[in-house]
Amino acid sequence: DTGVSQDPRHKITKRGQNVTFRCDPISEHNRLYWYRQTLGQGPEFLTYFQNEAQLEKSRLLSDRFSAERPKGSFSTLEIQRTEQGDSAMYLCASTSNLGVSGGYTFGSGTRLTVV
Amino acid sequence: AQSVTQPDIHITVSEGASLELRCNYSYGATPYLFWYVQSPGQGLQLLLKYFSGDTLVQGIKGFEAEFKRSQSSFNLRKPSVHWSDAAEYFCAVGNTGTASKLTFGTGTRLQVTL
C-alpha cells in the first residue's frame, strides 16, 4: 500500500467552472476526511466519511461543494461554479476505526487555483 | 470549542542549534495532541502524538514534545537541527467525538541557516 493518493496534484480552472478531485485512502482505513488549507493557514476540516456514510460536514462546505464515497473506498470532492476564494490546497486523510487515536495519514493534496 | 495557537509564525535557527516550537491548546478534556510537518507543496507527515501516559513523547527524525497540562502546552523540540528540517510545522488537537476531527494551528515556518 502506497498511502493516501490524491489526483490531480494541481488544477487550474477558470472561475465558474466545476472541478472534481479524487482521493484513494489506505485500503483498510474506513474513515476518510477532507481538509482545506489556504495560504499561511493550517488545514481546516471540511467533511468526514465512515465507510460510505458522510457523517459530518463543516460550515465551510457551502452548497457548491459536494463529497461522495460511493463504495466506501475512494472519495470525490466536487466544487461547482468555482470562485477565486476556493483557491487552496485540498487535503485528504484516512484513518482506521480507531479514529484520531489511530493517527491520520494525509495525502499530498490537490492544489486548486481559480483564475 | 477546541483551538490551537502557535505564536511563532517564522523561526530561523542555525544548523546544529537546538529548536523549540511552541504550541498552546484549548480543549475541555484530556486532549489528543499531534505535531505534523509539511514540506512545500506536500501533504502532512506525522512527527509524533500524545494521548496519555508519559508526558514526554518521542517522534521521528529526532523530534520530541512535552505535554504540560498546567500550561496547556505541547512544545516541539529537537536538540540539533539539520538543514533538511526546514519546513512548516503544525500543531493539532484531536477531539474524541465521533468524527475525530483535527484542529490545527496556523503553523510555524522553520528556516535553517548553514
Side-chain angles (χ1 to χ4, degrees), chain A residues 8 15 18 30 35 37 53 77 81 85 94 99 108:
Chain A
R15 189 175 53 186
N18 299 342
N30 58 357
Y35 283 76
Q37 184 179 20
L77 177 67
R81 306 180 303 281
S94 69
S108 297

Side-chain angles (χ1 to χ4, degrees), chain A residues 87-103:
Chain A
S87 296
M89 173 80 89
Y90 290 85
L91 293 163
C92 178
S94 69
T95 186
S96 70
N97 210 31
L98 292 174
V100 68
S101 63

Side-chain angles (χ1 to χ4, degrees), chain A residues 9 31 33 35 37 40-43 45 48 50 55-56 89 91 98-104 106-109 111, chain B residues 32 34 36 38 41-46 49 51 88 90 93-107:
Chain A
R9 290 295 308 277
R31 295 186 176 206
Y33 301 79
Y35 283 76
Q37 184 179 20
Q41 299 297 315
F45 170 80
Y48 151 67
Q50 181 153 349
L55 297 184
E56 188 165 339
M89 173 80 89
L91 293 163
L98 292 174
V100 68
S101 63
Y104 278 41
F106 280 89
S108 297
R111 180 165 295 284
Chain B
Y32 289 178
F34 304 82
Y36 283 87
Q38 186 178 37
Q42 299 298 312
L44 298 160
Q45 181 183 23
L46 179 66
K49 58 188 177 184
F51 298 147
E88 186 104 25
F90 292 95
V93 60
N95 70 8
T96 55
T98 305
S100 295
K101 294 179 291 188
L102 292 180
T103 299
F104 287 86
T106 51

Side-chain angles (χ1 to χ4, degrees), chain B residues 58-77:
Chain B
Q58 302 296 320
I60 61 171
K61 303 184 179 185
F63 285 92
E64 67 178 26
E66 186 172 12
F67 170 61
K68 293 185 177 180
R69 183 186 301 275
S70 61
Q71 299 177 17
S72 297
S73 69
F74 188 56
N75 294 349
L76 182 71
R77 302 194 294 247

Side-chain angles (χ1 to χ4, degrees), chain A residues 12 34 37 54 57-58 64 70 77 83 89 94-95 101-102 107:
Chain A
I12 300 175
W34 286 97
Q37 184 179 20
Q54 187 175 18
K57 294 192 291 186
S58 162
R64 295 185 298 106
L77 177 67
E83 303 173 355
M89 173 80 89
S94 69
T95 186
S101 63

Side-chain angles (χ1 to χ4, degrees), chain B residues 16 18 22 27 30-31 43-44 50 68-69 84 86 89 98 100 113:
Chain B
S18 64
R22 296 184 289 165
Y27 187 67
T30 300
L44 298 160
Y50 170 79
K68 293 185 177 180
R69 183 186 301 275
S84 61
Y89 291 79
T98 305
S100 295
T113 58

